[in-house]
Structure formats: structure tokens, C-alpha cells
Amino acid sequence: MSALACAASAQQPAPPAAAPRQPLATIVAEPVAMMIAACDQNGDAIVSRAELAACVAHSFASADSAHKGSIGYIDYGDWALKWLGDANALPSPFEVDGDGDNRVTLAELQARFDAIFTRLDRDRDGNLTRAELLTIRSGVGAGDRPPGKRSKRRGGADAS
């Protein structure tokens, strides 16, 4: 390269730096896990089955204001909005309503949360730590691909 070319390239401004990208999420918390974490009564960052049972009973009582012993699916949606953050968050009333009578009882809600507790208790010690309440994502979902990456299913570039 000639000295003139070197001098010309040295005087050109550097290209603007690309804006930093937000890293893709690799750890998520299910809405039900967020509720369970909030059930920690003694502040030790661990939720026991007893703490969860008391918390679920408290949350159910707030939805069963008429003290009927059961709530309908609309009331369950209100319960889910308040306690899970969204009326459509899982568990749905259909999976909680064990006898299919279109009503959710405290016993049914407790049974569903007990099953969720068992699923999340990876070390089977009867307690849930914050680490057990998180879900590690093993892959990038369709909505999480960076712009311009090729989709194997569609065979083309994503239109982001």
C-alpha cells in the first residue's frame, strides 16, 4: 500500500459502533413459580410445603369472598390475575378442576399446587429454593431469534 493510501485511510472516521444487543433470555420463571417464591413466610428464601399450603389457602380465601368453598372459572381467572400475574397463566382452571364440575375448590387447588411443588423440587428435599423455581431454557425459541437469522422451518430469513 502506498504512503498516500495509508494516510487517506488513517483520516477516515471509524464506522459507528453497533448498538449493544440485549442478550437472549436463558433463565425464566413460570408465573406459578413466582407465586410460590412469594409464599416464603419466614424470609429464608426457601418455600416449604407447609408455607405453600398456607399461602394457597390465603390466596383462595381472597377469591372465595362469598365463602362458598369453591369458585367458578371466572373467579379463578380473577384469582390467577392477582396471584399469577395473568388471568390465562397456568395452571388453568381446567387442569385444577379435578372433578370437572366447572368449580375449583381449595382442595383441588392445593392438590394441583402440591403436584407442581413435586415437579419443581428437583432434589426431593421437601423445600423449594429460588434455583429450583427457575427454568433454564435449553434452546432459542422462534420468537427469540435475533433478526436476520435463518429459520430452518421456513427456509428463509425472519422478517423482524
Side-chain angles (χ1 to χ4, degrees), residues 50-128:
E51 286 175 314
L52 180 59
C55 182
V56 170
H58 171 77
S59 72
F60 183 84
S62 74
D64 184 19
S65 57
H67 306 291
K68 294 180 182 179
S70 66
I71 57 175
Y73 286 7
I74 292 173
D75 289 333
Y76 183 90
D78 294 341
W79 173 88
L81 178 62
K82 180 177 182 177
W83 296 97
L84 302 177
D86 189 281
N88 297 308
L90 296 177
S92 76
F94 305 105
E95 64 182 287
V96 174
D97 181 13
D99 60 10
D101 67 351
N102 296 324
R103 308 283 304 165
V104 174
T105 65
L106 175 57
E108 288 171 325
L109 192 60
Q110 292 281 22
R112 187 67 190 120
F113 269 82
D114 192 55
I116 292 167
F117 190 102
T118 298
R119 173 178 60 88
L120 295 172
D121 187 13
R122 292 189 296 260
D123 63 7
R124 305 291 182 236
D125 68 350
N127 295 300
L128 293 176

Side-chain angles (χ1 to χ4, degrees), residues 39 157 159:
C39 292

